Short mmCIF file of all heavy atoms in Angstrom, two decimals:
data_model
loop_
_atom_site.label_atom_id
_atom_site.label_comp_id
_atom_site.label_asym_id
_atom_site.label_seq_id
_atom_site.Cartn_x
_atom_site.Cartn_y
_atom_site.Cartn_z
N ILE Y 1393 3.91 20.86 26.81
CA ILE Y 1393 2.92 20.35 25.96
C ILE Y 1393 1.71 19.97 26.98
O ILE Y 1393 0.59 19.75 26.40
CB ILE Y 1393 3.44 19.05 25.29
CG1 ILE Y 1393 4.35 19.47 24.21
CG2 ILE Y 1393 2.35 18.13 24.66
CD1 ILE Y 1393 5.15 18.28 23.58
N LYS Y 1394 1.85 19.96 28.23
CA LYS Y 1394 0.96 19.37 29.19
C LYS Y 1394 -0.43 19.98 29.08
O LYS Y 1394 -1.52 19.42 29.34
CB LYS Y 1394 1.46 19.35 30.59
CG LYS Y 1394 1.58 20.75 31.13
CD LYS Y 1394 2.13 20.56 32.58
CE LYS Y 1394 2.23 21.85 33.27
NZ LYS Y 1394 2.81 21.75 34.65
N SER Y 1395 -0.49 21.38 28.74
CA SER Y 1395 -1.67 21.97 28.69
C SER Y 1395 -2.47 21.92 27.29
O SER Y 1395 -3.47 22.33 27.11
CB SER Y 1395 -1.46 23.54 28.82
OG SER Y 1395 -0.88 23.73 30.24
N TYR Y 1396 -1.81 21.12 26.46
CA TYR Y 1396 -2.29 20.89 25.09
C TYR Y 1396 -2.85 19.47 24.88
O TYR Y 1396 -3.22 19.18 23.77
CB TYR Y 1396 -1.18 21.34 24.05
CG TYR Y 1396 -0.96 22.81 24.12
CD1 TYR Y 1396 -0.14 23.34 24.96
CD2 TYR Y 1396 -1.52 23.55 23.06
CE1 TYR Y 1396 0.10 24.76 25.01
CE2 TYR Y 1396 -1.25 24.97 23.15
CZ TYR Y 1396 -0.50 25.56 24.05
OH TYR Y 1396 -0.18 26.92 23.96
N VAL Y 1397 -2.83 18.64 25.90
CA VAL Y 1397 -3.27 17.28 25.64
C VAL Y 1397 -4.06 16.78 26.94
O VAL Y 1397 -3.71 16.96 28.13
CB VAL Y 1397 -1.94 16.32 25.68
CG1 VAL Y 1397 -2.35 14.83 25.60
CG2 VAL Y 1397 -1.10 16.69 24.52
N TYR Y 1398 -5.31 16.28 26.51
CA TYR Y 1398 -6.31 15.68 27.46
C TYR Y 1398 -6.69 14.35 26.99
O TYR Y 1398 -7.33 14.33 25.86
CB TYR Y 1398 -7.48 16.70 27.75
CG TYR Y 1398 -6.91 18.03 28.27
CD1 TYR Y 1398 -6.68 19.05 27.31
CD2 TYR Y 1398 -6.84 18.32 29.64
CE1 TYR Y 1398 -6.30 20.34 27.73
CE2 TYR Y 1398 -6.48 19.65 30.00
CZ TYR Y 1398 -6.15 20.64 29.16
OH TYR Y 1398 -5.80 21.87 29.61
N VAL Y 1399 -6.58 13.31 27.69
CA VAL Y 1399 -6.91 12.05 27.21
C VAL Y 1399 -7.86 11.52 28.07
O VAL Y 1399 -7.75 11.29 29.35
CB VAL Y 1399 -5.67 11.11 27.12
CG1 VAL Y 1399 -6.07 9.72 26.50
CG2 VAL Y 1399 -4.61 11.71 26.21
N PHE Y 1400 -9.15 10.93 27.62
CA PHE Y 1400 -10.22 10.44 28.44
C PHE Y 1400 -10.61 9.05 28.00
O PHE Y 1400 -10.59 8.67 26.77
CB PHE Y 1400 -11.39 11.33 28.36
CG PHE Y 1400 -11.18 12.66 28.90
CD1 PHE Y 1400 -10.89 13.79 28.21
CD2 PHE Y 1400 -11.17 12.87 30.34
CE1 PHE Y 1400 -10.75 15.03 28.67
CE2 PHE Y 1400 -10.88 14.17 30.98
CZ PHE Y 1400 -10.67 15.17 30.06
N ASP Y 1401 -11.05 8.26 28.88
CA ASP Y 1401 -11.49 6.89 28.51
C ASP Y 1401 -13.12 6.92 28.70
O ASP Y 1401 -13.75 6.50 29.61
CB ASP Y 1401 -10.90 5.87 29.35
CG ASP Y 1401 -11.40 4.42 29.08
OD1 ASP Y 1401 -11.81 4.21 27.88
OD2 ASP Y 1401 -11.44 3.63 29.95
N VAL Y 1402 -13.79 7.48 27.79
CA VAL Y 1402 -15.16 7.82 27.77
C VAL Y 1402 -15.86 6.89 26.82
O VAL Y 1402 -15.56 6.96 25.66
CB VAL Y 1402 -15.55 9.17 27.53
CG1 VAL Y 1402 -17.23 9.40 27.51
CG2 VAL Y 1402 -14.90 10.18 28.56
N PRO Y 1403 -16.81 5.89 27.21
CA PRO Y 1403 -17.51 5.11 26.32
C PRO Y 1403 -18.35 5.74 25.29
O PRO Y 1403 -18.80 6.86 25.68
CB PRO Y 1403 -18.22 4.05 27.23
CG PRO Y 1403 -18.35 4.77 28.41
CD PRO Y 1403 -17.21 5.58 28.69
N SER Y 1404 -18.53 5.26 24.10
CA SER Y 1404 -19.41 5.83 23.14
C SER Y 1404 -20.88 6.08 23.60
O SER Y 1404 -21.61 6.89 22.98
CB SER Y 1404 -19.40 5.06 21.79
OG SER Y 1404 -18.05 5.03 21.34
N THR Y 1405 -21.22 5.34 24.60
CA THR Y 1405 -22.69 5.40 25.04
C THR Y 1405 -22.89 6.62 25.91
O THR Y 1405 -23.98 7.13 26.19
CB THR Y 1405 -23.01 4.26 25.91
OG1 THR Y 1405 -21.94 3.98 26.99
CG2 THR Y 1405 -23.04 3.05 25.10
N GLU Y 1406 -21.76 7.37 26.38
CA GLU Y 1406 -21.99 8.58 27.30
C GLU Y 1406 -21.99 9.72 26.30
O GLU Y 1406 -21.02 10.55 26.15
CB GLU Y 1406 -20.73 8.68 28.21
CG GLU Y 1406 -20.78 7.62 29.25
CD GLU Y 1406 -19.74 7.85 30.43
OE1 GLU Y 1406 -19.18 8.99 30.46
OE2 GLU Y 1406 -19.33 6.89 31.13
N THR Y 1407 -23.10 9.86 25.60
CA THR Y 1407 -23.23 10.80 24.62
C THR Y 1407 -23.25 12.22 25.01
O THR Y 1407 -22.74 13.14 24.27
CB THR Y 1407 -24.57 10.70 23.82
OG1 THR Y 1407 -25.71 10.45 24.70
CG2 THR Y 1407 -24.51 9.28 23.00
N GLU Y 1408 -23.72 12.48 26.25
CA GLU Y 1408 -23.80 13.90 26.71
C GLU Y 1408 -22.31 14.41 27.02
O GLU Y 1408 -21.98 15.49 26.67
CB GLU Y 1408 -24.57 13.89 28.00
CG GLU Y 1408 -26.12 13.74 27.84
CD GLU Y 1408 -26.61 14.69 26.84
OE1 GLU Y 1408 -26.37 15.98 26.96
OE2 GLU Y 1408 -27.37 14.23 25.85
N THR Y 1409 -21.45 13.50 27.58
CA THR Y 1409 -20.13 13.93 27.68
C THR Y 1409 -19.44 14.18 26.34
O THR Y 1409 -18.67 15.13 26.18
CB THR Y 1409 -19.36 12.78 28.43
OG1 THR Y 1409 -20.03 12.64 29.70
CG2 THR Y 1409 -17.88 13.20 28.72
N LEU Y 1410 -19.56 13.30 25.30
CA LEU Y 1410 -19.07 13.57 24.16
C LEU Y 1410 -19.55 14.81 23.50
O LEU Y 1410 -18.76 15.46 22.73
CB LEU Y 1410 -19.32 12.27 23.15
CG LEU Y 1410 -18.75 10.88 23.73
CD1 LEU Y 1410 -19.15 9.73 22.72
CD2 LEU Y 1410 -17.24 11.04 23.83
N LYS Y 1411 -20.83 15.02 23.62
CA LYS Y 1411 -21.35 16.34 23.04
C LYS Y 1411 -20.73 17.56 23.67
O LYS Y 1411 -20.53 18.42 23.07
CB LYS Y 1411 -22.90 16.37 23.25
CG LYS Y 1411 -23.68 15.50 22.30
CD LYS Y 1411 -25.20 15.68 22.51
CE LYS Y 1411 -25.94 14.70 21.55
NZ LYS Y 1411 -27.31 14.82 21.76
N MET Y 1412 -20.31 17.45 25.01
CA MET Y 1412 -19.64 18.56 25.61
C MET Y 1412 -18.23 18.70 25.13
O MET Y 1412 -17.92 19.89 24.83
CB MET Y 1412 -19.48 18.29 27.17
CG MET Y 1412 -19.14 19.41 27.96
SD MET Y 1412 -18.67 19.09 29.54
CE MET Y 1412 -17.07 18.38 29.39
N PHE Y 1413 -17.57 17.61 24.83
CA PHE Y 1413 -16.22 17.63 24.27
C PHE Y 1413 -16.33 18.26 22.79
O PHE Y 1413 -15.65 19.25 22.47
CB PHE Y 1413 -15.62 16.30 24.05
CG PHE Y 1413 -15.22 15.52 25.31
CD1 PHE Y 1413 -14.98 14.13 25.26
CD2 PHE Y 1413 -14.97 16.37 26.40
CE1 PHE Y 1413 -14.65 13.58 26.47
CE2 PHE Y 1413 -14.64 15.73 27.55
CZ PHE Y 1413 -14.42 14.28 27.64
N ALA Y 1414 -17.34 17.93 22.08
CA ALA Y 1414 -17.54 18.43 20.76
C ALA Y 1414 -18.01 19.87 20.83
O ALA Y 1414 -17.45 20.67 19.94
CB ALA Y 1414 -18.76 17.73 19.98
N ASP Y 1415 -18.59 20.43 21.86
CA ASP Y 1415 -19.03 21.68 21.91
C ASP Y 1415 -17.84 22.64 22.27
O ASP Y 1415 -17.76 23.78 21.81
CB ASP Y 1415 -20.12 21.91 23.04
CG ASP Y 1415 -20.64 23.27 23.06
OD1 ASP Y 1415 -21.10 23.88 22.03
OD2 ASP Y 1415 -20.48 24.02 24.18
N ILE Y 1416 -16.93 22.07 23.12
CA ILE Y 1416 -15.76 22.81 23.40
C ILE Y 1416 -14.74 23.05 22.21
O ILE Y 1416 -14.08 24.01 22.08
CB ILE Y 1416 -14.95 21.99 24.59
CG1 ILE Y 1416 -15.73 22.17 25.76
CG2 ILE Y 1416 -13.53 22.76 24.70
CD1 ILE Y 1416 -15.12 21.16 26.91
N ALA Y 1417 -14.77 21.98 21.22
CA ALA Y 1417 -13.87 21.89 20.18
C ALA Y 1417 -14.23 22.79 19.04
O ALA Y 1417 -15.39 23.08 18.73
CB ALA Y 1417 -13.56 20.49 19.80
N ASP Y 1418 -13.15 23.17 18.29
CA ASP Y 1418 -13.36 23.85 17.03
C ASP Y 1418 -13.59 22.86 15.87
O ASP Y 1418 -14.14 23.20 14.88
CB ASP Y 1418 -12.08 24.73 16.69
CG ASP Y 1418 -11.86 25.84 17.64
OD1 ASP Y 1418 -12.52 26.97 17.46
OD2 ASP Y 1418 -11.15 25.77 18.57
N ALA Y 1419 -13.13 21.67 16.10
CA ALA Y 1419 -13.34 20.58 14.99
C ALA Y 1419 -13.21 19.16 15.70
O ALA Y 1419 -12.47 19.02 16.68
CB ALA Y 1419 -12.19 20.77 13.96
N ILE Y 1420 -14.01 18.41 15.32
CA ILE Y 1420 -13.96 16.94 15.57
C ILE Y 1420 -13.11 16.27 14.53
O ILE Y 1420 -13.38 16.33 13.38
CB ILE Y 1420 -15.45 16.39 15.69
CG1 ILE Y 1420 -16.26 17.15 16.75
CG2 ILE Y 1420 -15.26 14.84 16.27
CD1 ILE Y 1420 -17.66 16.72 16.68
N VAL Y 1421 -12.22 15.54 14.98
CA VAL Y 1421 -11.33 14.58 14.03
C VAL Y 1421 -11.75 13.29 14.43
O VAL Y 1421 -11.52 12.64 15.38
CB VAL Y 1421 -9.85 14.83 14.35
CG1 VAL Y 1421 -9.01 13.86 13.48
CG2 VAL Y 1421 -9.44 16.28 14.28
#
Side-chain angles (χ1 to χ4, degrees):
I1393 293 173
K1394 69 180 182 181
S1395 298
Y1396 290 81
V1397 176
Y1398 301 89
V1399 183
F1400 297 102
D1401 181 29
V1402 177
S1404 299
T1405 52
E1406 291 188 17
T1407 53
E1408 290 307 309
T1409 301
L1410 298 179
K1411 283 181 180 178
M1412 191 191 79
F1413 290 162
D1415 185 59
I1416 295 171
D1418 293 274
I1420 302 174
V1421 180

